[in-house]
Amino acid sequence: MKTSPPELRPVPARRSRGQAVLGGALIAVPLLLALLGPWFVGEPGPRGVSFTLGDGHWLGTDFIGRDVWRQVLLGGRSVVVTALVATALAYVIALPIGLAAALTHRPWVEEGLMRPWDVLLAIPSLLLLLIVATLFSPGPAGLALIVALINVPDALRIVRACAADAASRPAVEAMRMQGESWWRMAVGYVGRSITRVLTADAGVRLTGALYLVATAAFLGVGITPDAADWAVMVDRNRTGLFIQPWAVVVPALLIVALTTGTNLLFDAALARRAVRKGGPR
């Protein structure tokens, strides 16, 4: 007796809504603090030592007597903006190279476009950050460029692999025979075909960029040691964790909430799109 294969069920809409709500709640607080916090800091008050909540300091003071709440309000913009710029810059570099490698019929062109980036894959990202730190001291713009270059090889391989599958379809061959421009084939058809995969990868890439930016700040790369930055706060106050935990726990939780909420929002967006299109689970 033959049995029919089980039917693939779409992703439940309730689950995607739950992911969206949870992701939005997690990401709202760190984003609001990062974007709007510097507008509400006011003038710095006198430095003092306070390990308890209150005494004019909501979260106490850090290791040199600065108000922790004020540092939290000031410390998110550098992390968020640098990670967003680095992620966008990585795709600006990876997209045209990956599309060109996928659409070309000349193997030597594809090898010439892809193989040089494999050199960066052989170097661990943290080691590359340390090498850069020993050679020169990049500012926020330089740090964003370094993080983008670290993310380009992985993003490039994903773009090329997905675009190669789309470029092998009969529609692309028909467009070539009709004399369509490269821009129309690469961006108008192949680029639109890989949008969903790139959306999923963007969440992972942004999370990786946040991790690298926070690690760089923790190592003192691109950020001055006394800067108002969440990662710097964790690094500079970790020795007094059991005396004044708020200076470490609060910025660490904000970074974790930002990365986790980003992934949940991207997953929920992809799930809703699959449900609308009737896609499988």
Side-chain angles (χ1 to χ4, degrees), residues 249-263:
V249 172
V250 172
L253 287 178
L254 289 171
I255 295 175
V256 171
L258 186 60
T259 54
T260 306
T262 299
N263 276 329

Side-chain angles (χ1 to χ4, degrees), residues 19-37 69 72-73 76 80 230 253-265:
Q19 287 181 337
V21 171
L22 180 58
L26 286 174
I27 203 174
V29 175
L31 272 185
L32 288 175
L33 288 175
L35 299 178
L36 302 179
W69 175 244
V72 167
L73 292 177
V80 174
W230 290 344
L253 287 178
L254 289 171
I255 295 175
V256 171
L258 186 60
T259 54
T260 306
T262 299
N263 276 329
L264 287 174
L265 282 178

Side-chain angles (χ1 to χ4, degrees), residues 95 97-105 110 114 156-170 172-173 176 185-186 189-191 193-194 197-198:
L95 270 174
I97 299 176
L99 291 174
L103 287 168
T104 184
H105 287 300
E110 181 180 354
M114 298 295 297
L156 178 59
R157 292 167 73 90
I158 291 176
V159 171
R160 187 264 169 198
C162 299
D165 179 69
S168 63
R169 297 172 184 171
V172 177
E173 293 299 327
R176 281 198 178 99
M185 289 188 296
Y189 182 79
V190 177
S193 300
I194 64 176
V197 177
L198 294 186

Side-chain angles (χ1 to χ4, degrees), residues 32-46 56-58 67-77 228 230:
L32 288 175
L33 288 175
L35 299 178
L36 302 179
W39 297 92
F40 298 97
V41 291
E43 295 296 329
H57 305 287
W58 289 10
D67 183 69
V68 171
W69 175 244
R70 188 174 190 275
Q71 295 299 107
V72 167
L73 292 177
L74 291 171
R77 181 170 292 183
W230 290 344

